[in-house]
Amino acid sequence: MSVPTEELKLEIVNAATGKPLGAKAAPSADGALVVRDFPDGGPSPEQWQLAPVQAAQGGQAQDDQVYVIRNAVSGKVLDDPAAADRGVRQWDAAAGKKGQQWHVVPVEGEAGCYVIEGATDGAVLDLADPGDDDTRIVLREHDDSAESQRWRFVPAEPERLSDPVLRWASLSHWNGRRSWRLARSTALRPAPEATPSFSDLLLVLEQFGSDQDAGGWKTDGATPTRSPGGQPGWWAGAGARFLADTTGAGREDIVGLEPAKGAVTSSSRGDGTFDDERVLHRPVPSPSPADLWTVVDTTGDGRPDVVVLAADGVRVSSQDESGTFAPAGGEPALKAFGHGQQAGGWVADKHPRFLVDTTGDGRLDIVGFHDDGVRVSLQDEEGKFAAVADEPVLRAFGHEEKAGGWLAEKHPRFLVDTTGDGRLDIVGFHDDGVWVSLQDEEGTFAEPLYVLDDFGADQGWSSVAEHPRFLVGTTGGGALDIVGFGPQGVVVSRGRGDGTFERPKLVLNDFGLAQGWTGGKHLRLLADVTGDGNPDIVGFGDEGVWVSHSRGDGRFEQAQLVCRGFGYNEDAGGWRVDRHPRFLADITGDGRVDLVGFGGPGVYVARNLFRRFRTR
C-alpha cells in the first residue's frame, strides 16, 4: 500500500500481532504507547495521520520523505525521548525536533507492510515483548527477519456524503395495492448546501436491453474497453453496446453489434433521448464472433470511420459527406492485427491493440502487443497503413516469457505521452511495478526502464478488473499522472514529465477493495463531471453512482452519492457488470458527461445538471 496523504486518518497495526498502536488502557503521564486489543463497546483505537516534513523536501529525494506521525484527535505526535529503555511515546509536537521525525520504508516482497524508522539514528519501531499483552513500543536496530518490526496502515472508513438524492419508496396499502413516493435517502449525510449534480434516471429507449422485449442483447465477445486517457482506439465484440459519435455532431450515439445485421445505431437527438434503431454498417465479409469493432475518426477530418479487426486484418470503412459508410467488402486496409492466422493470429484476451496517434500528426496508427513484443503500423497522409515489419519494433511488453510474460488480464499497458513531446510512450504495469519505454524523434522505442515499485501484482494490484489503473493529468495541464484503484483506496503517483513518476500516495480512502469495491460488481471510471478540466472519480457502487470531485492537485474530495440508480443493489436497479454496460458520455453536446446505461428494459439516462445548478 502506498503511504497515505496527510488528510487520511488511519490505524497503525503491528503485522506480528494484528493489534493496533495506541495508549495503554489506563493512559500514563509518560505518554507510553503499546499495541493492545480494543474490545467492542470500549474506546476505539487511536487514529493517526502522516504529515510530511516540508523543510526536508528542498534537498531530499521524494523516496526519502520524512514524516511526523500525529494523533488525529489529540494532535500529539510519535516521539523518541531518547530514554535508556528506548521506549516510544506520544508527546506534544516540537517544530524541527529530529526525535519526532520518521521514515516510512516499504518491506520488499510484502505488499502493504512498512518499517517505521527514526530519522535520528535509523532505529525502528518494535515490540518490547512480542508475546505479551499491552506490549510497549520501543526502538531497536532493524532486523529483516523480525515480523514485530513490520506495520500496516489501515485507513479509517470513508466519510460518505450525499447530494439531495431522491429514491422511490414502496408503500403497501390495506387493500393489497401498492404505490410509491419519492423520499430522501436516510442512509447518508447530505453534503452542506449541496445541489443535484445528476437527474434521476429515466428510461428513454425501449431497445438495446437484455430483456427479450428490448432486443434480448447479450455480450458474446469482448466488452467495450476505453483506452488510456480517454484516447480513441477501444474495441467491442459481438453483442456489445456502446456510445460513439457516428455523425461528427459532437454528441454520442448508441451503437450495438448484431451478428446478423452488423453495427446498428440510434442517433442522439441532443436532448437526452434517441431515435429508433437503424443499420449503421453491414457485416464484414465472413463475419466472426471474434471480430472487434470501433467507431472513431482515424484521419482527423472530423468524420468517424468504422474500423474492424477481422479474421483477414484491419478493415476501415470511411464516412462520406452524406453520412454514409463505405461498403464492407473488398480487401482489408492492412493484412495484420487480425484474429486469423493469415493476419497474425491476434487473440483478444492475449494481445491488446490500440488505435492511437503515436507521432502527433493527427492520424491514428495501430499499435499491438503480440507474443514477441510491440508491432506498429503507421498511417500516412493518404490514409494508408504501412505493412507491419517481420520483427517487432520492441522485444518487450509481449505475452511470451522472452518478451516479458505480460498477461492481458493482469498487466495493463498504455500508450501515452509522458514527456510532453507529442509522441506516445509505452507504460506498462507488471508484477514488480511500472515500466516505461520512451519514443524518440525518429519513432524508435527505447528499451524499457523500471521507474516505480508500485501498482504491480507484487504490491497487491492483482488484476486489471479488480484494480483499474489510468494515466491522466490530475492538475489541469500538467504531466500525466498514474491514478489507480488499489487494495486500500485511490492511489496517485504524480508524473515528473520525463517518463518517471513520484512516490505514490494513497489520496482517498474509498473506491478500493478495503471499502468493498470489486471488479465483479462495480465500475470505477475517471471523467470530468464538472467541466473544470480535471478528471473526477465516478463509481457505480452498491447504492448507485458515487462521484469524488478532483481538487486539482492530485487529490480528491470525499465521495458523494449523486444518483440513486445504476447500482448493484436491487433498490438501485440491480445492475450487473456482465449484463448491463454503463457509460459516461456527452449525449447532448453541452460539454458535460451524462450517465447512460443499458438495462433490462432498454436504455436509461441520467442527465448532468452541474451547469444548471452551480455558478462557476
Side-chain angles (χ1 to χ4, degrees):
M1 188 187 89
S2 304
V3 176
T5 56
E6 182 176 359
E7 299 86 15
L8 296 188
K9 301 174 183 178
L10 50 106
E11 295 177 15
I12 301 177
V13 179
N14 186 261
T17 63
K19 298 178 180 180
L21 172 72
K24 295 179 178 180
S28 55
D30 62 1
L33 290 170
V34 298
V35 293
R36 67 181 182 90
D37 289 322
F38 286 81
D40 293 340
S44 300
E46 273 90 343
Q47 293 184 344
W48 306 84
Q49 292 172 298
L50 300 182
V53 178
Q54 300 299 328
Q57 294 181 359
Q60 195 164 8
Q62 284 287 330
D63 291 342
D64 198 28
Q65 176 68 64
V66 177
Y67 297 90
V68 170
I69 302 176
R70 178 176 293 112
N71 189 302
V73 175
S74 69
K76 293 183 180 296
V77 301
L78 205 66
D79 180 83
D80 171 17
D85 64 357
R86 299 309 316 264
V88 177
R89 63 182 182 177
Q90 55 178 332
W91 207 250
D92 293 331
K97 182 180 178 182
K98 282 289 186 180
Q100 295 179 352
Q101 297 178 4
W102 308 86
H103 297 289
V104 178
V105 184
V107 177
E108 187 173 353
E110 291 192 43
C113 263
Y114 292 86
V115 170
I116 300 175
E117 176 186 87
T120 304
D121 58 5
V124 302
L125 294 194
D126 200 352
L127 306 183
D129 300 295
D132 295 343
D133 293 333
D134 290 356
T135 302
R136 181 140 191 213
I137 307 303
V138 297
L139 286 166
R140 286 203 176 109
E141 183 179 348
H142 179 233
D143 180 357
D144 279 333
S145 63
E147 190 177 7
S148 59
Q149 295 181 357
R150 301 171 192 173
W151 303 84
R152 298 186 184 276
F153 299 140
V154 180
E157 290 294 318
E159 184 183 2
R160 288 175 171 165
L161 306 172
S162 175
D163 271 0
V165 175
L166 299 179
R167 61 183 179 86
W168 292 106
S170 177
L171 296 176
S172 297
H173 300 276
W174 63 270
N175 57 3
R177 297 183 61 186
R178 299 182 67 191
S179 62
W180 290 263
R181 62 181 176 84
L182 282 171
R184 281 182 178 267
S185 168
T186 58
L188 298 157
R189 178 169 60 85
E193 300 181 358
T195 52
S197 52
F198 282 92
S199 70
D200 195 10
L201 71 167
L202 180 67
L203 179 64
V204 298
L205 186 65
E206 294 182 6
Q207 295 173 325
F208 295 99
S210 56
D211 293 349
Q212 287 302 313
D213 292 343
W217 284 77
K218 296 180 180 178
T219 302
D220 299 323
T223 56
T225 303
R226 291 287 184 181
S227 60
Q231 296 174 338
W234 46 268
W235 308 100
R241 292 144 289 168
F242 55 93
L243 290 123
D245 183 359
T246 66
T247 64
R251 54 180 183 261
E252 303 210 19
D253 312 303
I254 296 169
V255 179
L257 302 179
E258 290 192 77
K261 294 182 180 179
V264 298
T265 185
S266 288
S267 298
S268 170
R269 294 172 176 155
D271 59 359
T273 64
F274 298 88
D275 292 329
D276 287 335
E277 176 186 312
R278 62 181 175 84
V279 174
L280 177 72
H281 189 275
R282 296 292 180 186
V284 298
S286 303
S288 166
D291 294 343
L292 298 177
W293 295 60
T294 191
V295 180
V296 66
D297 178 9
T298 65
T299 62
D301 64 358
R303 292 195 296 268
D305 309 295
V306 173
V307 184
V308 184
L309 300 179
D312 55 358
V314 182
R315 291 185 168 271
V316 180
S317 297
S318 300
Q319 188 183 57
D320 59 26
E321 294 182 358
S322 66
T324 303
F325 285 91
E331 291 294 312
L334 180 64
K335 294 181 179 179
F337 298 106
H339 53 84
Q341 290 303 313
Q342 71 271 31
W346 293 73
V347 181
D349 58 2
K350 289 173 60 177
H351 307 132
R353 285 152 285 177
F354 298 92
L355 267 171
V356 287
D357 180 8
T358 63
T359 62
D361 64 358
R363 293 179 173 273
L364 301 188
D365 313 303
I366 304 176
V367 181
F369 299 88
H370 209 287
D371 290 334
D372 54 358
V374 183
R375 306 273 180 165
V376 177
S377 173
L378 299 179
Q379 185 184 178
D380 63 21
E381 294 180 357
E382 298 179 356
K384 296 180 180 180
F385 290 96
V388 177
D390 293 334
E391 295 295 320
V393 299
L394 184 64
R395 288 192 178 276
F397 300 104
H399 182 79
E400 293 179 348
E401 286 298 326
K402 63 183 180 182
W406 293 74
L407 306 177
E409 73 278 5
K410 190 178 181 183
H411 305 132
R413 282 149 283 180
F414 301 86
L415 285 151
V416 290
D417 182 5
T418 65
T419 62
D421 63 357
R423 290 182 172 270
L424 301 190
D425 313 303
I426 300 172
V427 180
F429 297 80
H430 210 286
D431 290 339
D432 53 357
V434 183
W435 293 78
V436 173
S437 172
L438 298 179
Q439 184 186 179
D440 62 23
E441 294 180 356
E442 298 178 356
T444 302
F445 288 98
E447 284 298 311
L449 293 176
Y450 181 57
V451 298
L452 196 62
D453 58 346
D454 209 330
F455 297 101
D458 292 348
Q459 294 87 32
W461 301 70
S462 58
S463 70
V464 172
E466 204 66 64
H467 301 296
R469 280 144 278 183
F470 301 87
L471 281 130
V472 294
T474 65
T475 59
L480 294 185
D481 312 309
I482 299 172
V483 180
F485 299 93
Q488 295 290 341
V490 181
V491 178
V492 173
S493 181
R494 297 282 298 276
R496 295 189 175 113
D498 60 358
T500 65
F501 300 88
E502 295 179 2
R503 187 173 181 176
K505 297 287 187 183
L506 179 69
V507 300
L508 185 64
N509 56 333
D510 209 343
F511 299 103
L513 193 62
Q515 294 84 30
W517 293 77
T518 67
K521 293 172 60 178
H522 309 121
L523 299 176
R524 288 154 288 177
L525 306 169
L526 291 169
D528 180 7
V529 170
T530 63
D532 64 356
N534 295 311
D536 308 299
I537 296 170
V538 182
F540 295 81
D542 289 334
E543 305 89 347
V545 182
W546 296 85
V547 169
S548 180
H549 292 117
S550 171
R551 294 181 175 177
D553 59 358
R555 299 177 299 165
F556 298 87
E557 297 174 359
Q558 289 287 333
Q560 294 186 18
L561 185 67
V562 299
C563 180
R564 176 68 73 170
F566 298 115
Y568 185 85
N569 290 347
E570 291 302 321
D571 62 357
W575 292 72
R576 298 295 181 261
V577 169
D578 59 344
R579 299 202 303 273
H580 306 132
R582 284 152 285 176
F583 298 92
L584 295 159
D586 180 7
I587 60 174
T588 62
D590 66 354
R592 297 288 196 271
V593 293
D594 307 296
L595 304 173
V596 183
F598 297 87
V603 182
Y604 289 86
V605 168
R607 293 281 302 279
N608 191 329
L609 305 177
F610 194 88
R611 174 180 289 168
R612 184 180 303 171
F613 285 98
R614 288 174 168 86
T615 301
R616 300 195 62 78

